[in-house]
Amino acid sequence: ADNYTNSLSTRWLVSSDYLSLSNITLGYTIPAKYTRQIGIDNVRIYGAAENVALWSARRGLDPRQSFLSTNSSTYSPMRTISGGIRVQF
């Protein structure tokens, strides 16, 4: 037996814990008492974000992906941010 190898050692293990913030959606409707003064029935401001953040013990590794011995050529999901204003007269 080779006493100098570390094949049974746990020193190479890294925590697989992670925190993923996947979706955020925010919206606000301006109260009608303010919008009707300028001739508008309704104003809504909104925003949405997908794949916002990922915190992991290993930098550069996405623990949400499958890591096998084969090359799967997959990418981490893209971050998408969108927003808008809806005005009703």
Side-chain angles (χ1 to χ4, degrees):
D2 186 359
N3 294 330
Y4 300 106
T5 61
N6 294 312
S7 64
L8 299 177
S9 174
T10 59
R11 74 178 177 156
W12 302 110
L13 296 179
V14 177
S15 173
S16 63
D17 296 342
Y18 69 93
L19 177 63
S20 176
L21 185 56
S22 297
N23 300 313
I24 297 176
T25 303
L26 297 172
Y28 180 71
T29 302
I30 298 175
K33 68 180 183 178
Y34 300 119
T35 60
R36 288 201 178 121
Q37 293 174 359
I38 57 174
I40 298 173
D41 290 337
N42 189 342
V43 175
R44 180 160 179 79
I45 301 168
Y46 59 91
E50 300 273 335
N51 302 312
V52 179
L54 174 68
W55 295 277
S56 173
R58 294 201 55 187
R59 194 175 172 133
L61 176 72
D62 186 349
R64 299 172 295 184
Q65 300 292 326
S66 174
F67 294 97
L68 303 173
S69 60
T70 60
N71 183 3
S72 60
S73 299
T74 59
Y75 293 97
S76 294
M78 240 176 21
R79 180 176 298 141
T80 306
I81 301 172
S82 60
I85 299 174
R86 187 185 72 200
V87 179
Q88 292 178 335
F89 296 96

